[in-house]
Amino acid sequence: MRKFIAISVFVISALPLVAQGTAPALNLPRASQHQVLTQTVGTTNITIDYSRPVAKGRKIWGGLVPYDKVWRTGANEATQIIVSDDVTINGQPLAKGAYSLHTIPGKESWTIIFNKTAKQWGSFNYDAAQDALRVTVKPKAAPYAEVFTISFPDVTPDTATVMLHWADLSGGFTVGTNSTAKAMAAASEAVAAAAATDFQTPQRAASFAFDSGNNDQAMKWAEQSVGIKQTMSNLYLKARIQAKKGDKAGAIATAQTALKLATPKDAVLSSEIQESIDEWKK
């Protein structure tokens, strides 16, 4: 009986602790949902952190979002954009780092602002003296979007379009990363520093240059790789470069040399090379 009383006293004594502040915090959804999206462009990461307000039947442009006033480009905290390398915005330079993204919507054009104060609530304490860059964009009519959306609709190895879309308008800007030129420079350094017996580094560099459309440099690196050691893959790469440069006879001869190195394990690559030879002979 005493043991039961003691346990009961312990349980009862613990109850006020829960009632007096140890209960879990109330976690409720925001009206404007949070989203973080990251797009890699070449070797550069672009991250956008924002909240997505909902129209709910309200007039957006010139209403909920007034004309000619600074807007947080979303809801809640000001939208942030983070770039991992130096980039350009519509051709203008922007240093790597984190920025708050503000917008001044006008009837005919929008001003997009990259502000050095990355973390701020809304645009209430926005300071134009901290602007790193401003660009002007022309909004266009777009299918109705109930929820404000930022997206990357077009991406290449060197550029990405960032599109802002809400209600019946959308407008965007282009981020340039110069990734191909940077990668070509890095490849040149790697090939120059490679060991005399390293045929793989110039082959990888040649493959990248070929994919990037720089056929002359691709040929130089492919020939360097083949000169160190002939393999099916680097010979076939050289053949494809030759064909791209218009030398189909040379491409066929190089590809046939590649086929002579084939083993039973190389059936798939051999088939691909033969298909290329047949195509070049047409």
Side-chain angles (χ1 to χ4, degrees):
M1 184 65 178
R2 290 181 180 179
K3 183 176 180 180
F4 173 78
I5 293 173
I7 293 173
S8 299
V9 170
F10 174 78
V11 172
I12 293 170
S13 65
L15 289 176
L17 294 177
V18 176
Q20 293 175 12
T22 59
L26 183 61
N27 185 19
L28 298 175
R30 287 183 172 190
S32 301
Q33 297 291 300
H34 179 223
Q35 183 177 48
V36 179
L37 61 159
T38 296
Q39 177 64 57
T40 299
V41 183
T43 56
T44 299
N45 290 327
I46 305 168
T47 300
I48 297 177
D49 186 330
Y50 75 115
S51 293
R52 307 180 62 191
V54 183
K56 296 181 180 179
R58 297 172 291 185
K59 179 182 179 181
I60 302 304
W61 307 112
L64 182 64
V65 180
Y67 289 132
D68 305 320
K69 293 185 178 181
V70 179
W71 174 50
R72 69 188 83 185
T73 318
N76 304 319
E77 300 89 343
T79 292
Q80 281 191 66
I81 182 168
I82 305 159
V83 289
S84 63
D85 299 298
D86 294 349
V87 297
T88 59
I89 306 295
N90 287 0
Q92 300 185 50
L94 181 71
K96 70 177 181 179
Y99 302 88
S100 54
L101 191 68
H102 306 265
T103 304
I104 302 177
K107 292 183 179 180
E108 302 297 329
S109 64
W110 295 350
T111 299
I112 307 294
I113 303 167
F114 298 79
N115 188 270
K116 296 176 185 177
T117 306
K119 294 184 178 182
Q120 52 183 297
W121 182 264
S123 298
F124 301 106
N125 295 315
Y126 162 77
D127 181 4
Q130 295 301 311
D131 287 354
L133 179 65
R134 287 187 171 204
V135 296
T136 300
V137 304
K138 292 285 187 180
K140 297 180 180 180
Y144 192 85
E146 175 71 5
V147 182
F148 176 60
T149 301
I150 301 178
S151 63
F152 293 93
D154 298 303
V155 179
T156 75
D158 289 297
T159 63
T161 299
V162 178
M163 190 63 65
L164 316 178
H165 184 190
W166 199 15
D168 57 353
L169 292 178
S170 66
F173 53 89
T174 299
V175 182
T177 63
N178 201 31
S179 296
T180 299
K182 292 176 183 177
M184 287 292 291
S188 294
E189 292 180 3
V191 171
T197 56
D198 181 359
F199 66 93
Q200 293 176 316
T201 296
Q203 179 181 339
R204 290 182 61 204
S207 181
F208 177 79
F210 178 59
D211 290 340
S212 301
N214 192 334
N215 297 320
D216 290 338
Q217 186 60 65
M219 179 60 77
K220 292 178 182 179
W221 284 332
E223 289 179 335
Q224 182 175 339
S225 176
V226 169
I228 297 170
K229 180 181 178 180
Q230 290 189 353
T231 68
M232 285 188 70
S233 58
N234 64 13
L235 283 166
Y236 182 41
L237 173 60
K238 179 181 176 180
R240 286 183 287 138
I241 299 169
Q242 288 173 303
K244 195 72 173 180
K245 289 169 65 68
D247 181 12
K248 292 188 177 181
I252 292 168
T254 302
Q256 288 173 336
T257 301
L259 286 178
K260 293 177 183 178
L261 301 178
T263 69
K265 295 180 180 180
D266 300 315
V268 174
L269 181 56
S270 295
S271 177
E272 181 180 343
I273 293 173
Q274 187 59 57
E275 287 177 3
S276 294
I277 291 173
D278 295 341
E279 182 65 29
W280 295 332
K281 285 182 177 180
K282 292 179 181 179

